[in-house]
Amino acid sequence: MASSSDKVFDVDTLPTKDPLRLFQKWHEQAKKAEGIRMASVAVLSTASRDGHVTSRIMTVKEFDKDGFRFATNENSRKAKQLDENPYASLLFDWEPVNRMVRIDGKVTKLSEEASTAIWKTYSRSAQLLHSVSQQDDVIKSSKEVSVRKEELEKKHGRSAPIPWNSEWCAYELSPHSCEFYQMDGEVPTRICFRRPYSGEFPDDSMLHRGEDGWVIETLSP
């Protein structure tokens, strides 16, 4: 369940009217919650140019006011789909505390500097894996990857740094909408922060004004 201090989740009782700060608060609570092992794991959904959708579970490495950053092999299916269609969605499901957050937005490929910075956050074992695995390629067995990983480790030794694989690139999703879902009792509450549509004149009887140009809506469950 959500913590007692957040049991009443409503647009009028939001601790902040900035969605990134609200996400940070919820993320910190999720990290401390019993039953949530990896609060930064999310489902990333992308779509090809012709609208075929693919979803996968992955780790969001960083987030701040600019967006949510993750990394992948630039030859992977998700990277190819993002080249064709840069819009994507992230879903964080924190079931033990009855919360979910969905982030929709546009994804951009980041610089080599940003990619190497994220590379350094991986464990050495993960760096070895990302160096030898051609993500999404069809293989006979995962043993092939294990053998290549062991061979690369022998080449670099047991402690030498693993150099950045230039195919492993960082991406950033800049949100245009953030939906926060919390189940209290039998009726969930859904609060959506979004950017106003082009030419929209927000109806203040149904909308609330957030910070930094965001508008806030309550959605029917």
Side-chain angles (χ1 to χ4, degrees), residues 84-150:
E84 296 179 6
N85 176 0
Y87 295 94
S89 179
L90 282 167
L91 176 65
F92 295 84
D93 182 8
W94 299 317
E95 189 273 337
V97 293
N98 295 329
R99 285 174 169 174
M100 291 188 289
V101 183
R102 193 185 76 234
I103 313 290
D104 299 336
K106 187 173 183 179
V107 179
T108 55
K109 191 175 183 178
L110 299 180
S111 65
E112 178 178 330
E113 181 181 8
S115 296
T116 55
I118 285 183
W119 178 263
K120 292 176 182 178
T121 69
Y122 287 101
S123 68
R124 193 168 188 273
S125 179
Q127 290 174 343
L128 287 165
L129 176 62
H130 297 326
S131 296
V132 300
S133 175
Q134 295 300 314
Q135 201 169 48
D136 292 329
D137 277 6
V138 177
I139 57 177
K140 289 183 179 181
S141 167
S142 59
K143 291 180 181 179
E144 296 177 22
V145 179
S146 296
V147 169
R148 292 199 296 266
K149 183 172 178 281
E150 290 173 4

Side-chain angles (χ1 to χ4, degrees), residues 29-121:
Q29 292 174 344
K31 288 197 297 183
K32 298 173 183 177
E34 184 176 350
I36 299 178
R37 192 164 63 91
M38 295 183 290
S40 295
V41 166
V43 176
L44 173 70
S45 297
T46 56
S48 61
R49 185 182 293 108
D50 54 4
H52 289 190
V53 178
T54 307
S55 298
R56 75 286 295 164
I57 296 172
M58 61 181 307
T59 301
V60 174
K61 299 297 289 183
E62 301 171 346
F63 65 88
D64 57 25
K65 62 181 181 61
D66 295 320
F68 295 76
R69 289 178 286 281
F70 58 91
T72 188
N73 190 300
E74 65 181 359
N75 297 312
S76 67
R77 180 183 299 175
K78 56 183 165 296
K80 291 175 180 176
Q81 288 188 332
L82 288 170
D83 285 342
E84 296 179 6
N85 176 0
Y87 295 94
S89 179
L90 282 167
L91 176 65
F92 295 84
D93 182 8
W94 299 317
E95 189 273 337
V97 293
N98 295 329
R99 285 174 169 174
M100 291 188 289
V101 183
R102 193 185 76 234
I103 313 290
D104 299 336
K106 187 173 183 179
V107 179
T108 55
K109 191 175 183 178
L110 299 180
S111 65
E112 178 178 330
E113 181 181 8
S115 296
T116 55
I118 285 183
W119 178 263
K120 292 176 182 178
T121 69

